Amino acid sequence: MFYSPSEFLKNCYSLILTKLFFRPARLIRRPVYIRGSKGLKYGEGLTTGYRCRIEIFGDDKKKLVIGKNCKMGDNVHIVASDSVKIGDDCLFASNIFISDTDHGGKNDSPLTPPDNRELISNPVEVGNC
């Protein structure tokens, strides 16, 4: 694959930071946004595109588990407040949203302010979990 000089330099920068902070991963492209990193577990070979966003809420329990050799395109957004499991060798296109959480129960209407809606969470599994 051919990269322009600027893309090559950005990938080199991301690779250095990946090996410093995400050692088992293959390449975590910058910028990446991770909230609640103590709740994240990932296998070897993880690769992300640009602007991926991972949000894990609650305690330090491993709520987002990503298998080996997973590849994510640009702008993938994953939210885990209960349990999101992604199996080995999964490939995600760009602009995907995965969440185990919903803002609004049976008794909430669209007119209910978001902060007053019930938060519902159910486990999500993708791939060979």
Side-chain angles (χ1 to χ4, degrees):
M1 178 175 280
F2 175 76
Y3 291 111
S4 69
S6 63
E7 187 73 15
F8 177 77
L9 290 174
K10 286 194 295 188
N11 279 332
C12 288
Y13 172 72
S14 291
L15 181 62
I16 290 167
L17 292 178
T18 298
K19 295 309 171 190
L20 286 173
F21 299 108
F22 300 95
R23 199 164 286 234
R26 179 173 287 136
L27 180 63
I28 306 295
R29 287 187 175 87
R30 301 301 195 267
V32 63
Y33 307 96
I34 301 175
R35 178 187 296 173
S37 61
K38 290 183 179 180
L40 172 64
K41 179 182 177 185
Y42 59 92
E44 291 181 27
L46 174 64
T47 302
T48 68
Y50 297 106
R51 295 170 306 279
C52 286
R53 183 172 161 184
I54 294 173
E55 297 178 274
I56 304 163
F57 298 102
D59 54 28
D60 293 343
K61 181 180 129 191
K62 299 300 181 199
K63 295 182 177 188
L64 174 56
V65 178
I66 302 173
K68 294 180 183 176
N69 299 314
C70 289
K71 313 261 185 278
M72 298 179 188
D74 299 338
N75 302 306
V76 171
H77 184 180
I78 302 173
V79 175
S81 64
D82 181 22
S83 173
V84 175
K85 294 181 181 176
I86 298 171
D88 296 339
D89 303 310
C90 287
L91 175 63
F92 294 95
S94 296
N95 304 311
I96 291 178
F97 178 64
I98 299 169
S99 177
D100 65 356
T101 307
D102 183 16
H103 294 275
K106 294 181 222 175
N107 299 323
D108 291 320
S109 82
L111 301 177
T112 304
D115 290 340
N116 295 340
R117 295 179 192 168
E118 180 183 5
L119 190 63
I120 298 171
S121 183
N122 289 301
V124 171
E125 293 186 4
V126 177
N128 61 358
C129 297

